[in-house]
Amino acid sequence: MAATPRKNKTGRRILAAGAGLATVGALFAAMPSSAGAAGDAFDAESGYGNGKGWGRMVDVQLLSFNDLHGNLEPPTGSSGRLTRLKEDGTTELVNNVGGAEYLATHLRQAREGHRYSVTAAAGDMIGASPLLSGLFHDEPTIEALNKLKLDVSSVGNHEFDEGARELARIQNGGCHPTEGCFEEGKRFKGANFPYLAANVTNEKSGKPLLDPYFIWERDGVKIGFIGVTLEGTANIVSAEGIKGLKFGDEVETINKYAKVLERKGVKSIVALLHEGGLPASGAYNYDCDTPGAGAGISGPIVDIAKNVTPQVDALVTGHTHQAYACTIPDPSGKPRTVTSAASFGRLYTDTTLTYDRRTKDIVRTAVASANHVVTRDVDPADDISKLIKRWKDLAAPIANRPVGHIAADIDNPLDAGAYEKPLGNLIADAQLEGMAPADKGGAQLALMNPGGVRAPLTHKASGAEGDGVVTYGEAYTVQPFTNMMTAVDLTGAQLVTTLQQQVSGLNLAAPKILQVSKNFTYTLDMTKTGADRIVVDSVRLNGEAIDPAKTYRVAMNEFLSGGGDGFAVLKEHKNKLVGASDLDMFTAYLGAHSSAAAPLPVPATDRITVIK
C-alpha cells in the first residue's frame, strides 16, 4: 500500500461570527488520515493485530499533551519541575523537565514500533507564551507543532487571546495583518493540524467557528475526535476579540457530535476537552483512582465526565495544568479514562486504545494510560533546535536587554494550595507604584489575577546575561499578555465582595486567589466553604479596617476590571483611568528598585493569613 501525503488543508474552515470576525475561507482541506506505510502487507478481513501482526484487535497508541503555552525553550524554575510520589508515600521534586526539543524526541521515541499512533492535544498550545513565541504571535510554536506531527487539537481559551481573526490566521496561514511577515521571503503557512471548536459557534447562525470533529483513519481503523473548550471561555478572555461568538455547554456539544460520528460509522471516539480537574495530590504519578475521603479527583471535569455519553471512549483534558490519568464512570457506570499532562510540555500521556475491527469500537476494559516525564537526558531534536535558534536570533535584540536584578529565585508556585506567591506580590507592588501617582490614577492598592503570572523569575542565567540579571525576555515570559493597567473606584463593600468571589460562584470549585499589594491584608479561612472563607473583619488597608461605605482607588489590569476570572463585581467599578501596560510597569519597577550591587530581594508572603 503506497504512502499518501500526511495532510493537506482543503477542508477546514473558520466561519464569520459577527461584525468582529472575518470570514476566512471557505474550504480547507480535510485532514487526512494517516496512511499505511509503503510495502506493508494488509488483509482487510483480519487486519493488523496489536499494531504489529494479524488479528481482530488493534492497539492504537494515543499520545497527548495540553497547555503548552508556546514553551519552546525548556521552562525554568518551578515551571520546569514536577513532583513525583515515591513508594513510601513521600514526594520529591523532578527538576529540569520540558522543552520542545525534548518533547519531540520523547514523542518520536514513543511512536517507534507502533504502526497505529495518533498525537492529539487539548488546547492552549499558544497564548500566554514566552517572548520567543509571543513576540511573533506564536508562529514559532505552530511551526514546531507541525514538526512534532501533531494530528489534531481542541482550542483552549488562550487560542482566543488575540481574537477570532488571529485564530483564523493561525489555522490558515498568512502574514500578520499589521506586523507583516517576520522572516524575509517567508510566509507563515499555518497549522498542518485542525483546531477543533465544536462548542464555539456564531451567535446568529449557530454554526461552529471551526471544524467540530476530525476523523483519523489508518488501514480502516477509524477514531473520531471531538474538540471543545470550556463553556466559561468568554469569562477569561478579552471580550473584544470574541464578539459574535457563543461558547456552548461541553457535555451537550460532545454528545451531539458523538451521534454525528456514529451516523458516519465512527464508533471509536475521543473527546479533546479544554477543561480539567484537580487531583488530591500534585504528584504527576499520583493514582487518582485511590478511594477514600480527600483522595481522587475533583473539579469541573468530574461532572462533565459523568455526563458525557458512553459513546465516547476517552477524554483528553487540560486547562488546570494538573497531571492525572484517572478513570471516572460514564453515565452507564462504566469506567472511562480521563487524562491531563500538566503543562508547558513537561509531560505527555501515552494511552493504549484497543480497537475491535469487528465492532469498530474501543474495548474499554483494555484502555490503559500513563503520564511520562519529558526529561532532558535525551538528545534534543535537531530540527526543533534549529527552529528555536532561528527565532531566538530574530528576537535577541529585544529579548536580551537587561531590565533588573534579583538576589534569588522569585517563585510562582504552581501548587493549587500556594495562595500567596512571591512573584504575585512583586507584580502587585509594581502595579500599585505605577498607578499611585495622582496623575496616573491615584491607586491605593492593587489586585493581580494569579493566572496572569505565567512563570517564575530565575536567578540562574538563561543566556549570557549573567546570574541574577533579569532580561526583557524573562520579564515578558512572566507578563506576556501586555494588559493595560487601570485605576478604578470601588466601595469597601465591593472590595470585600471581590475577595469573596475568589472562593465562591464561578471560583467555588477552584479558588482564584488574587495577588495583593503590600499594604492590603486579610485572612482566608479554608476550613469554611464559599464566601465564608473570607474573614470580613480582617480586611485591612494600611492597617485600617475597610469601610464598606467608603470609596477606594484600586489598580488592576483591564482583564480584571472587565470582570474576568469570575470577578463580576469588578465590572461595577466607576471612574476608570487607563495607564501603561502591566509589562511596562513591571520592568519599570525592576529597574527602579534593583541594581547589580543591590539586587531585589524575594518578597515576603505575609499579606494573606491562611487558616487550613
Side-chain angles (χ1 to χ4, degrees), residues 398-416:
I398 296 173
N400 295 338
R401 176 169 60 87
V403 295
H405 298 78
I406 55 175
D409 289 354
I410 302 181
D411 211 351
N412 180 50
L414 299 177
D415 181 0

Side-chain angles (χ1 to χ4, degrees), residues 247-603:
F247 294 83
D249 181 87
E250 305 97 334
V251 172
E252 291 177 6
T253 304
I254 293 170
N255 291 351
K256 171 185 174 181
Y257 285 103
K259 291 178 181 177
V260 171
L261 287 169
E262 285 269 354
R263 289 196 295 269
K264 290 180 174 289
V266 179
K267 296 183 178 180
S268 298
I269 301 171
V270 175
L272 305 176
L273 170 62
H274 192 70
E275 178 61 291
L278 301 167
S281 168
Y284 78 85
N285 58 338
Y286 167 68
D287 180 3
C288 49
D289 291 336
T290 300
I297 185 169
S298 60
I301 195 58
V302 177
D303 285 339
I304 291 173
K306 287 180 177 179
N307 287 284
V308 164
T309 173
Q311 292 171 290
V312 173
D313 298 294
L315 284 78
V316 175
T317 72
H319 187 57
T320 58
H321 290 203
Q322 301 298 304
Y324 48 85
C326 302
T327 57
I328 299 174
D330 68 19
S332 69
K334 188 177 180 182
R336 175 169 54 194
T337 189
V338 180
T339 68
S340 174
S343 60
F344 307 152
R346 295 174 293 161
L347 293 173
Y348 71 91
T349 310
D350 191 335
T351 301
T352 299
L353 302 173
T354 301
Y355 182 92
D356 186 333
R357 285 186 174 277
R358 189 168 299 171
T359 64
K360 299 182 181 180
D361 206 351
I362 299 299
V363 181
R364 193 90 71 77
T365 55
V367 172
S369 293
N371 278 319
H372 299 272
V373 179
V374 176
T375 61
R376 300 178 198 165
D377 58 359
V378 297
D379 291 332
D382 186 60
D383 56 339
I384 306 296
S385 298
K386 289 178 179 177
L387 179 155
I388 290 172
K389 183 181 184 305
R390 197 178 88 239
W391 288 102
K392 278 188 75 172
D393 289 345
L394 282 174
I398 296 173
N400 295 338
R401 176 169 60 87
V403 295
H405 298 78
I406 55 175
D409 289 354
I410 302 181
D411 211 351
N412 180 50
L414 299 177
D415 181 0
Y419 300 120
E420 184 182 353
K421 308 181 183 191
L423 189 51
N425 286 353
L426 172 60
I427 290 170
D429 290 348
Q431 293 178 350
L432 175 59
E433 182 167 298
M435 299 300 289
D439 62 341
K440 302 293 185 183
Q444 298 166 274
L445 71 147
L447 303 175
M448 174 63 194
N449 55 306
V453 186
R454 304 305 302 186
L457 283 178
T458 307
H459 186 265
K460 183 178 176 57
S462 59
E465 74 274 13
D467 290 351
V469 177
V470 180
T471 65
Y472 182 83
E474 291 166 339
Y476 182 101
T477 298
V478 171
Q479 293 262 266
F481 297 108
T482 317
N483 271 309
M484 303 309 291
M485 288 301 301
T486 67
V488 302
D489 282 353
L490 292 175
T491 66
Q494 288 171 323
L495 258 179
V496 171
T497 299
T498 300
L499 298 181
Q500 292 172 331
Q501 288 181 347
Q502 298 177 116
V503 288
S504 63
L506 294 175
N507 298 323
L508 178 63
K512 287 188 174 69
I513 306 302
L514 297 166
Q515 306 298 283
V516 300
S517 52
K518 58 188 175 184
N519 57 339
F520 189 67
T521 58
Y522 69 95
T523 297
L524 179 67
D525 187 349
M526 296 304 291
T527 66
K528 297 182 179 179
T529 58
D532 290 339
R533 287 176 164 175
I534 303 301
V535 181
V536 174
D537 60 8
S538 73
V539 184
R540 281 172 165 67
L541 177 64
N542 297 320
E544 295 184 4
I546 290 291
D547 182 345
K550 188 177 178 180
T551 296
Y552 298 87
R553 291 292 281 169
V554 186
M556 65 188 75
N557 59 44
E558 283 200 306
F559 171 71
L560 275 180
S561 61
D565 269 354
F567 293 97
V569 69
L570 294 180
K571 291 191 290 186
E572 300 172 10
H573 67 260
K574 295 180 180 179
N575 300 324
K576 181 170 78 171
L577 184 146
V578 179
S581 75
D582 54 5
L583 179 59
D584 285 346
M585 288 190 182
F586 185 44
T587 56
Y589 187 89
L590 289 170
H593 292 273
S594 70
S595 65
L600 192 73
V602 179

Side-chain angles (χ1 to χ4, degrees), residues 57-349:
M57 301 297 182
V58 175
D59 281 348
V60 178
Q61 179 190 57
L62 171 61
L63 301 176
S64 59
F65 55 98
N66 50 277
D67 296 276
L68 180 64
H69 291 289
N71 278 264
L72 299 182
E73 294 183 279
T76 63
S78 57
S79 293
R81 292 197 292 261
L82 291 165
T83 300
R84 176 191 289 135
L85 188 64
K86 299 195 294 185
E87 289 186 6
D88 63 5
T90 62
T91 59
E92 63 181 355
L93 290 178
V94 183
N95 294 302
N96 301 318
V97 299
E101 302 159 285
Y102 304 100
L103 176 61
T105 297
H106 281 278
L107 291 176
R108 289 166 184 173
Q109 290 178 348
R111 291 175 187 136
E112 292 176 3
H114 293 272
R115 178 176 182 81
Y116 301 90
S117 184
V118 57
T119 304
D124 279 7
M125 295 295 97
I126 60 174
S129 304
L131 183 136
L132 176 63
S133 188
L135 186 63
F136 305 106
H137 298 275
D138 282 311
E139 290 183 19
T141 295
I142 296 300
E143 183 181 344
L145 291 171
N146 289 344
K147 291 181 180 294
L148 287 177
K149 304 299 183 187
L150 180 63
D151 289 292
V152 59
S153 179
S154 68
V155 295
N157 54 288
H158 282 284
E159 266 77 19
F160 293 93
D161 279 353
E162 296 189 47
R165 288 177 184 266
E166 176 63 2
L167 178 55
R169 189 183 74 88
I170 289 295
Q171 177 72 91
N172 302 343
C175 296
H176 193 270
T178 58
E179 298 183 39
C181 296
F182 296 112
E183 296 180 287
E184 187 175 351
K186 290 186 179 181
R187 180 181 180 275
F188 176 54
K189 296 180 180 179
N192 287 348
F193 56 91
Y195 263 123
L196 305 181
N199 67 330
V200 186
T201 56
N202 182 308
E203 283 184 331
K204 294 181 179 178
S205 71
K207 293 181 179 179
L209 175 71
L210 289 161
D211 287 344
Y213 60 84
F214 163 68
I215 301 171
W216 178 89
E217 181 178 6
R218 185 164 190 176
D219 299 336
V221 175
K222 294 182 180 180
I223 297 179
F225 291 87
I226 302 167
V228 300
T229 186
L230 69 153
E231 183 180 7
T233 291
N235 297 319
I236 52 176
V237 300
S238 173
E240 184 64 28
I242 57 170
K243 281 183 177 178
L245 292 180
K246 179 181 178 181
F247 294 83
D249 181 87
E250 305 97 334
V251 172
E252 291 177 6
T253 304
I254 293 170
N255 291 351
K256 171 185 174 181
Y257 285 103
K259 291 178 181 177
V260 171
L261 287 169
E262 285 269 354
R263 289 196 295 269
K264 290 180 174 289
V266 179
K267 296 183 178 180
S268 298
I269 301 171
V270 175
L272 305 176
L273 170 62
H274 192 70
E275 178 61 291
L278 301 167
S281 168
Y284 78 85
N285 58 338
Y286 167 68
D287 180 3
C288 49
D289 291 336
T290 300
I297 185 169
S298 60
I301 195 58
V302 177
D303 285 339
I304 291 173
K306 287 180 177 179
N307 287 284
V308 164
T309 173
Q311 292 171 290
V312 173
D313 298 294
L315 284 78
V316 175
T317 72
H319 187 57
T320 58
H321 290 203
Q322 301 298 304
Y324 48 85
C326 302
T327 57
I328 299 174
D330 68 19
S332 69
K334 188 177 180 182
R336 175 169 54 194
T337 189
V338 180
T339 68
S340 174
S343 60
F344 307 152
R346 295 174 293 161
L347 293 173
Y348 71 91
T349 310

